[in-house]
Short mmCIF file of all heavy atoms in Angstrom, two decimals:
data_model
loop_
_atom_site.label_atom_id
_atom_site.label_comp_id
_atom_site.label_asym_id
_atom_site.label_seq_id
_atom_site.Cartn_x
_atom_site.Cartn_y
_atom_site.Cartn_z
N ILE X 198 -16.31 -2.64 7.45
CA ILE X 198 -15.08 -1.99 7.91
C ILE X 198 -15.39 -0.80 8.81
O ILE X 198 -14.78 -0.64 9.86
CB ILE X 198 -14.23 -1.53 6.70
CG1 ILE X 198 -13.97 -2.70 5.76
CG2 ILE X 198 -12.91 -0.93 7.19
CD1 ILE X 198 -13.32 -2.31 4.46
N MET X 199 -16.34 0.02 8.39
CA MET X 199 -16.77 1.11 9.27
C MET X 199 -17.38 0.53 10.54
O MET X 199 -18.07 -0.48 10.50
CB MET X 199 -17.80 2.00 8.55
CG MET X 199 -17.19 2.92 7.52
SD MET X 199 -18.38 4.10 6.84
CE MET X 199 -19.22 3.08 5.64
N GLY X 200 -17.10 1.17 11.65
CA GLY X 200 -17.60 0.68 12.92
C GLY X 200 -16.69 -0.35 13.56
O GLY X 200 -16.97 -0.82 14.66
N THR X 201 -15.61 -0.70 12.87
CA THR X 201 -14.63 -1.62 13.44
C THR X 201 -13.35 -0.83 13.75
O THR X 201 -13.25 0.35 13.44
CB THR X 201 -14.30 -2.77 12.48
OG1 THR X 201 -13.58 -2.25 11.33
CG2 THR X 201 -15.57 -3.46 12.01
N SER X 202 -12.37 -1.49 14.34
CA SER X 202 -11.11 -0.82 14.68
C SER X 202 -9.94 -1.57 14.05
O SER X 202 -9.20 -2.28 14.72
CB SER X 202 -10.93 -0.76 16.20
OG SER X 202 -11.96 0.00 16.80
N PRO X 203 -9.77 -1.41 12.75
CA PRO X 203 -8.63 -2.08 12.10
C PRO X 203 -7.31 -1.45 12.54
O PRO X 203 -7.29 -0.32 13.04
CB PRO X 203 -8.88 -1.82 10.61
CG PRO X 203 -9.66 -0.54 10.58
CD PRO X 203 -10.54 -0.59 11.80
N LYS X 204 -6.23 -2.15 12.33
CA LYS X 204 -4.93 -1.58 12.66
C LYS X 204 -4.67 -0.37 11.77
O LYS X 204 -5.02 -0.37 10.59
CB LYS X 204 -3.83 -2.63 12.44
CG LYS X 204 -3.89 -3.79 13.43
CD LYS X 204 -2.76 -4.78 13.17
CE LYS X 204 -2.82 -5.92 14.18
NZ LYS X 204 -1.74 -6.92 13.94
N ARG X 205 -4.06 0.64 12.35
CA ARG X 205 -3.81 1.86 11.58
C ARG X 205 -2.87 1.58 10.41
O ARG X 205 -1.86 0.89 10.55
CB ARG X 205 -3.23 2.95 12.47
CG ARG X 205 -4.30 3.64 13.29
CD ARG X 205 -3.76 4.77 14.11
NE ARG X 205 -2.98 5.72 13.32
CZ ARG X 205 -2.82 7.00 13.64
NH1 ARG X 205 -3.41 7.48 14.72
NH2 ARG X 205 -2.09 7.79 12.90
N LEU X 206 -3.22 2.14 9.27
CA LEU X 206 -2.47 1.88 8.05
C LEU X 206 -1.09 2.52 8.06
O LEU X 206 -0.18 2.04 7.38
CB LEU X 206 -3.27 2.41 6.84
CG LEU X 206 -4.66 1.80 6.63
CD1 LEU X 206 -5.37 2.50 5.49
CD2 LEU X 206 -4.55 0.31 6.36
N ASP X 207 -0.94 3.62 8.79
CA ASP X 207 0.33 4.34 8.76
C ASP X 207 1.31 3.87 9.83
O ASP X 207 2.44 4.37 9.88
CB ASP X 207 0.10 5.85 8.89
CG ASP X 207 -0.73 6.22 10.12
OD1 ASP X 207 -1.49 5.38 10.60
OD2 ASP X 207 -0.62 7.37 10.58
N THR X 208 0.91 2.94 10.67
CA THR X 208 1.83 2.49 11.73
C THR X 208 3.07 1.78 11.19
O THR X 208 4.19 2.12 11.58
CB THR X 208 1.09 1.58 12.73
OG1 THR X 208 0.05 2.33 13.38
CG2 THR X 208 2.04 1.05 13.78
N PRO X 209 2.94 0.81 10.28
CA PRO X 209 4.15 0.12 9.79
C PRO X 209 5.18 1.05 9.18
O PRO X 209 6.37 0.95 9.48
CB PRO X 209 3.58 -0.86 8.75
CG PRO X 209 2.18 -1.11 9.18
CD PRO X 209 1.71 0.20 9.72
N ILE X 210 4.74 2.00 8.34
CA ILE X 210 5.73 2.87 7.68
C ILE X 210 6.33 3.88 8.65
O ILE X 210 7.44 4.38 8.43
CB ILE X 210 5.12 3.58 6.45
CG1 ILE X 210 3.92 4.44 6.84
CG2 ILE X 210 4.77 2.58 5.37
CD1 ILE X 210 3.38 5.28 5.68
N LYS X 211 5.60 4.18 9.72
CA LYS X 211 6.18 5.07 10.73
C LYS X 211 7.18 4.30 11.60
O LYS X 211 8.17 4.87 12.08
CB LYS X 211 5.07 5.69 11.58
CG LYS X 211 4.29 6.75 10.83
CD LYS X 211 3.17 7.34 11.66
CE LYS X 211 2.46 8.45 10.89
NZ LYS X 211 1.30 9.01 11.62
N VAL X 212 6.90 3.03 11.80
CA VAL X 212 7.82 2.21 12.59
C VAL X 212 9.10 1.90 11.81
O VAL X 212 10.21 1.96 12.37
CB VAL X 212 7.14 0.90 13.03
CG1 VAL X 212 8.15 -0.06 13.66
CG2 VAL X 212 6.02 1.19 14.02
N ASN X 213 8.97 1.60 10.51
CA ASN X 213 10.18 1.22 9.76
C ASN X 213 10.89 2.42 9.13
O ASN X 213 11.91 2.26 8.46
CB ASN X 213 9.87 0.15 8.70
CG ASN X 213 8.95 0.67 7.59
OD1 ASN X 213 8.91 1.85 7.26
ND2 ASN X 213 8.19 -0.26 7.00
N GLY X 214 10.33 3.61 9.33
CA GLY X 214 11.03 4.82 8.89
C GLY X 214 10.81 5.23 7.46
O GLY X 214 11.46 6.16 6.96
N THR X 215 9.86 4.59 6.75
CA THR X 215 9.63 4.95 5.35
C THR X 215 8.52 5.97 5.16
O THR X 215 8.30 6.43 4.05
CB THR X 215 9.30 3.70 4.51
OG1 THR X 215 8.12 3.07 5.03
CG2 THR X 215 10.45 2.71 4.54
N ALA X 216 7.81 6.31 6.23
CA ALA X 216 6.75 7.31 6.10
C ALA X 216 7.38 8.65 5.70
O ALA X 216 8.30 9.12 6.35
CB ALA X 216 6.00 7.46 7.42
N PRO X 217 6.91 9.26 4.63
CA PRO X 217 7.52 10.50 4.14
C PRO X 217 7.06 11.74 4.91
O PRO X 217 6.09 12.39 4.54
CB PRO X 217 7.08 10.55 2.68
CG PRO X 217 5.76 9.84 2.67
CD PRO X 217 5.84 8.77 3.73
N PHE X 218 7.75 12.07 5.98
CA PHE X 218 7.53 13.33 6.69
C PHE X 218 8.29 14.44 5.97
O PHE X 218 9.24 14.17 5.23
CB PHE X 218 8.01 13.23 8.14
CG PHE X 218 7.14 12.38 9.02
CD1 PHE X 218 7.33 11.01 9.10
CD2 PHE X 218 6.12 12.95 9.77
CE1 PHE X 218 6.53 10.22 9.91
CE2 PHE X 218 5.31 12.17 10.59
CZ PHE X 218 5.52 10.80 10.66
N GLY X 219 7.89 15.68 6.24
CA GLY X 219 8.58 16.80 5.62
C GLY X 219 10.06 16.81 5.91
O GLY X 219 10.88 17.06 5.02
N MET X 220 10.44 16.49 7.15
CA MET X 220 11.84 16.52 7.53
C MET X 220 12.66 15.45 6.80
O MET X 220 13.86 15.56 6.65
CB MET X 220 11.96 16.33 9.05
CG MET X 220 13.33 16.70 9.60
SD MET X 220 13.67 18.46 9.48
CE MET X 220 12.93 19.03 11.01
N ASP X 221 11.97 14.39 6.33
CA ASP X 221 12.67 13.29 5.67
C ASP X 221 12.85 13.52 4.17
O ASP X 221 13.66 12.83 3.54
CB ASP X 221 11.88 11.98 5.86
CG ASP X 221 11.72 11.61 7.31
OD1 ASP X 221 12.67 11.84 8.08
OD2 ASP X 221 10.64 11.11 7.69
N TYR X 222 12.10 14.44 3.59
CA TYR X 222 12.10 14.56 2.13
C TYR X 222 13.46 15.02 1.61
O TYR X 222 14.07 15.94 2.17
CB TYR X 222 11.00 15.52 1.66
CG TYR X 222 10.95 15.61 0.16
CD1 TYR X 222 10.36 14.59 -0.58
CD2 TYR X 222 11.56 16.66 -0.52
CE1 TYR X 222 10.34 14.63 -1.97
CE2 TYR X 222 11.55 16.72 -1.90
CZ TYR X 222 10.94 15.70 -2.62
OH TYR X 222 10.95 15.73 -3.98
N LYS X 223 13.90 14.39 0.54
CA LYS X 223 15.15 14.79 -0.11
C LYS X 223 14.94 14.86 -1.61
O LYS X 223 14.21 14.06 -2.19
CB LYS X 223 16.26 13.78 0.22
CG LYS X 223 16.69 13.77 1.67
CD LYS X 223 17.82 12.77 1.90
CE LYS X 223 18.24 12.75 3.37
NZ LYS X 223 19.34 11.77 3.61
N ALA X 224 15.60 15.82 -2.23
CA ALA X 224 15.56 15.95 -3.68
C ALA X 224 17.00 16.03 -4.19
O ALA X 224 17.89 16.51 -3.47
CB ALA X 224 14.81 17.23 -4.08
N PRO X 225 17.24 15.56 -5.40
CA PRO X 225 18.61 15.61 -5.95
C PRO X 225 19.14 17.05 -5.95
O PRO X 225 18.45 17.97 -6.39
CB PRO X 225 18.43 15.07 -7.38
CG PRO X 225 17.19 14.23 -7.31
CD PRO X 225 16.30 14.90 -6.32
N GLY X 226 20.37 17.22 -5.47
CA GLY X 226 20.99 18.54 -5.48
C GLY X 226 20.43 19.50 -4.45
O GLY X 226 20.68 20.71 -4.53
N MET X 227 19.68 18.98 -3.48
CA MET X 227 19.00 19.85 -2.51
C MET X 227 19.99 20.52 -1.56
O MET X 227 20.95 19.91 -1.11
CB MET X 227 17.99 19.02 -1.71
CG MET X 227 17.15 19.81 -0.75
SD MET X 227 15.90 18.74 0.04
CE MET X 227 16.92 17.88 1.25
N LEU X 228 19.72 21.78 -1.26
CA LEU X 228 20.47 22.52 -0.25
C LEU X 228 19.58 22.72 0.97
O LEU X 228 18.37 22.46 0.92
CB LEU X 228 20.93 23.87 -0.81
CG LEU X 228 21.91 23.81 -1.98
CD1 LEU X 228 22.23 25.22 -2.49
CD2 LEU X 228 23.19 23.08 -1.60
N TYR X 229 20.18 23.21 2.05
CA TYR X 229 19.46 23.37 3.32
C TYR X 229 19.59 24.81 3.79
O TYR X 229 20.63 25.44 3.61
CB TYR X 229 20.03 22.42 4.37
CG TYR X 229 19.89 20.96 4.01
CD1 TYR X 229 20.78 20.35 3.11
CD2 TYR X 229 18.87 20.18 4.55
CE1 TYR X 229 20.65 19.02 2.77
CE2 TYR X 229 18.73 18.85 4.21
CZ TYR X 229 19.62 18.27 3.32
OH TYR X 229 19.49 16.95 2.98
N ALA X 230 18.53 25.30 4.42
CA ALA X 230 18.55 26.68 4.88
C ALA X 230 18.00 26.79 6.29
O ALA X 230 17.15 25.99 6.72
CB ALA X 230 17.72 27.57 3.94
N THR X 231 18.48 27.78 7.01
CA THR X 231 17.93 28.15 8.31
C THR X 231 17.90 29.67 8.36
O THR X 231 18.63 30.33 7.62
CB THR X 231 18.75 27.55 9.47
OG1 THR X 231 18.09 27.85 10.70
CG2 THR X 231 20.16 28.11 9.50
N ILE X 232 17.06 30.21 9.22
CA ILE X 232 16.82 31.66 9.20
C ILE X 232 17.00 32.24 10.60
O ILE X 232 16.45 31.72 11.58
CB ILE X 232 15.40 31.97 8.68
CG1 ILE X 232 15.24 31.46 7.25
CG2 ILE X 232 15.11 33.47 8.76
CD1 ILE X 232 13.80 31.46 6.76
N GLU X 233 17.74 33.32 10.68
CA GLU X 233 17.85 34.08 11.93
C GLU X 233 16.79 35.19 11.88
O GLU X 233 16.78 36.01 10.96
CB GLU X 233 19.25 34.69 12.07
CG GLU X 233 19.47 35.46 13.36
CD GLU X 233 19.60 34.57 14.59
OE1 GLU X 233 19.65 33.33 14.45
OE2 GLU X 233 19.64 35.13 15.71
N ARG X 234 15.92 35.19 12.88
CA ARG X 234 14.81 36.15 12.93
C ARG X 234 14.98 37.11 14.09
O ARG X 234 15.63 36.79 15.08
CB ARG X 234 13.47 35.41 13.05
CG ARG X 234 13.22 34.40 11.93
CD ARG X 234 12.06 33.48 12.24
NE ARG X 234 11.89 32.44 11.23
CZ ARG X 234 12.57 31.30 11.21
NH1 ARG X 234 13.46 31.05 12.16
NH2 ARG X 234 12.38 30.42 10.25
N CYS X 235 14.34 38.26 13.98
CA CYS X 235 14.42 39.25 15.05
C CYS X 235 13.78 38.68 16.32
O CYS X 235 12.69 38.11 16.26
CB CYS X 235 13.71 40.54 14.65
SG CYS X 235 13.85 41.85 15.90
N PRO X 236 14.43 38.83 17.48
CA PRO X 236 13.85 38.31 18.72
C PRO X 236 12.62 39.07 19.18
O PRO X 236 11.92 38.61 20.09
CB PRO X 236 15.00 38.45 19.72
CG PRO X 236 15.86 39.53 19.17
CD PRO X 236 15.77 39.41 17.68
N VAL X 237 12.34 40.21 18.58
CA VAL X 237 11.16 41.00 18.92
C VAL X 237 10.17 40.91 17.76
O VAL X 237 10.53 41.13 16.60
CB VAL X 237 11.51 42.47 19.20
CG1 VAL X 237 10.25 43.29 19.48
CG2 VAL X 237 12.50 42.57 20.35
N PHE X 238 8.92 40.60 18.07
CA PHE X 238 7.90 40.51 17.03
C PHE X 238 7.77 41.84 16.29
O PHE X 238 7.78 42.91 16.91
CB PHE X 238 6.56 40.10 17.62
CG PHE X 238 6.58 38.72 18.23
CD1 PHE X 238 6.39 38.54 19.58
CD2 PHE X 238 6.81 37.60 17.44
CE1 PHE X 238 6.43 37.28 20.15
CE2 PHE X 238 6.84 36.33 17.99
CZ PHE X 238 6.65 36.17 19.35
N GLU X 239 7.65 41.74 14.96
CA GLU X 239 7.52 42.88 14.06
C GLU X 239 8.83 43.63 13.87
O GLU X 239 8.87 44.66 13.21
CB GLU X 239 6.41 43.84 14.51
CG GLU X 239 5.03 43.20 14.55
CD GLU X 239 3.93 44.19 14.92
OE1 GLU X 239 4.18 45.41 14.94
OE2 GLU X 239 2.80 43.73 15.19
N GLY X 240 9.92 43.11 14.43
CA GLY X 240 11.23 43.71 14.19
C GLY X 240 11.76 43.35 12.82
O GLY X 240 11.33 42.37 12.21
N LYS X 241 12.73 44.13 12.33
CA LYS X 241 13.30 43.91 11.00
C LYS X 241 14.82 44.03 11.04
O LYS X 241 15.40 44.57 11.97
CB LYS X 241 12.73 44.93 10.01
CG LYS X 241 11.21 44.85 9.83
CD LYS X 241 10.73 45.92 8.87
CE LYS X 241 9.22 45.86 8.68
NZ LYS X 241 8.73 46.92 7.75
N VAL X 242 15.44 43.52 9.99
CA VAL X 242 16.89 43.63 9.85
C VAL X 242 17.26 45.07 9.51
O VAL X 242 16.70 45.65 8.57
CB VAL X 242 17.42 42.69 8.75
CG1 VAL X 242 18.92 42.90 8.55
CG2 VAL X 242 17.12 41.24 9.09
N LYS X 243 18.19 45.65 10.28
CA LYS X 243 18.71 46.97 9.95
C LYS X 243 19.96 46.82 9.10
O LYS X 243 20.06 47.34 8.00
CB LYS X 243 19.01 47.76 11.22
CG LYS X 243 19.47 49.20 10.96
CD LYS X 243 19.78 49.94 12.26
CE LYS X 243 18.51 50.23 13.04
NZ LYS X 243 18.81 51.05 14.26
N THR X 244 20.93 46.08 9.63
CA THR X 244 22.15 45.75 8.88
C THR X 244 22.60 44.35 9.28
O THR X 244 22.26 43.86 10.35
CB THR X 244 23.29 46.74 9.19
OG1 THR X 244 23.64 46.63 10.57
CG2 THR X 244 22.88 48.18 8.88
N PHE X 245 23.38 43.71 8.40
CA PHE X 245 23.98 42.44 8.78
C PHE X 245 25.30 42.24 8.07
O PHE X 245 25.51 42.74 6.95
CB PHE X 245 23.03 41.27 8.51
CG PHE X 245 22.88 40.90 7.05
CD1 PHE X 245 23.62 39.85 6.50
CD2 PHE X 245 21.98 41.56 6.23
CE1 PHE X 245 23.48 39.49 5.17
CE2 PHE X 245 21.82 41.20 4.90
CZ PHE X 245 22.57 40.16 4.36
N ASP X 246 26.20 41.53 8.72
CA ASP X 246 27.52 41.21 8.18
C ASP X 246 27.62 39.70 8.10
O ASP X 246 27.57 39.00 9.12
CB ASP X 246 28.61 41.78 9.10
CG ASP X 246 30.01 41.55 8.52
OD1 ASP X 246 30.15 40.74 7.58
OD2 ASP X 246 30.97 42.16 9.03
N ALA X 247 27.75 39.15 6.89
CA ALA X 247 27.78 37.71 6.68
C ALA X 247 29.18 37.18 6.42
O ALA X 247 29.34 36.02 6.05
CB ALA X 247 26.88 37.35 5.50
N THR X 248 30.20 37.99 6.65
CA THR X 248 31.58 37.58 6.33
C THR X 248 31.96 36.28 7.02
O THR X 248 32.42 35.33 6.38
CB THR X 248 32.57 38.69 6.71
OG1 THR X 248 32.18 39.91 6.08
CG2 THR X 248 33.98 38.31 6.29
N LYS X 249 31.79 36.22 8.32
CA LYS X 249 32.17 35.02 9.07
C LYS X 249 31.26 33.84 8.73
O LYS X 249 31.70 32.69 8.71
CB LYS X 249 32.13 35.30 10.57
CG LYS X 249 33.20 36.29 11.05
CD LYS X 249 33.10 36.48 12.56
CE LYS X 249 34.17 37.45 13.05
NZ LYS X 249 34.10 37.64 14.53
N ALA X 250 30.00 34.12 8.49
CA ALA X 250 29.06 33.05 8.15
C ALA X 250 29.44 32.39 6.84
O ALA X 250 29.42 31.15 6.71
CB ALA X 250 27.64 33.60 8.07
N LYS X 251 29.83 33.18 5.84
CA LYS X 251 30.19 32.64 4.54
C LYS X 251 31.51 31.87 4.58
O LYS X 251 31.79 31.05 3.69
CB LYS X 251 30.28 33.77 3.51
CG LYS X 251 28.93 34.37 3.14
CD LYS X 251 29.07 35.46 2.09
CE LYS X 251 27.71 36.01 1.69
NZ LYS X 251 27.82 37.09 0.67
#
Side-chain angles (χ1 to χ4, degrees):
I198 306 171
M199 284 187 280
T201 69
S202 298
K204 293 181 179 179
R205 280 184 52 154
L206 301 175
D207 54 336
T208 297
I210 59 174
K211 287 178 177 177
V212 171
N213 66 28
T215 59
F218 287 87
M220 195 67 87
D221 300 322
Y222 182 77
K223 292 182 180 179
M227 184 175 77
L228 296 177
Y229 298 80
T231 185
I232 299 168
E233 182 72 8
R234 303 167 185 83
C235 183
V237 177
F238 296 115
E239 299 184 11
K241 299 178 180 179
V242 175
K243 184 181 290 185
T244 63
F245 74 97
D246 184 346
T248 305
K249 293 181 179 180
K251 289 182 177 179

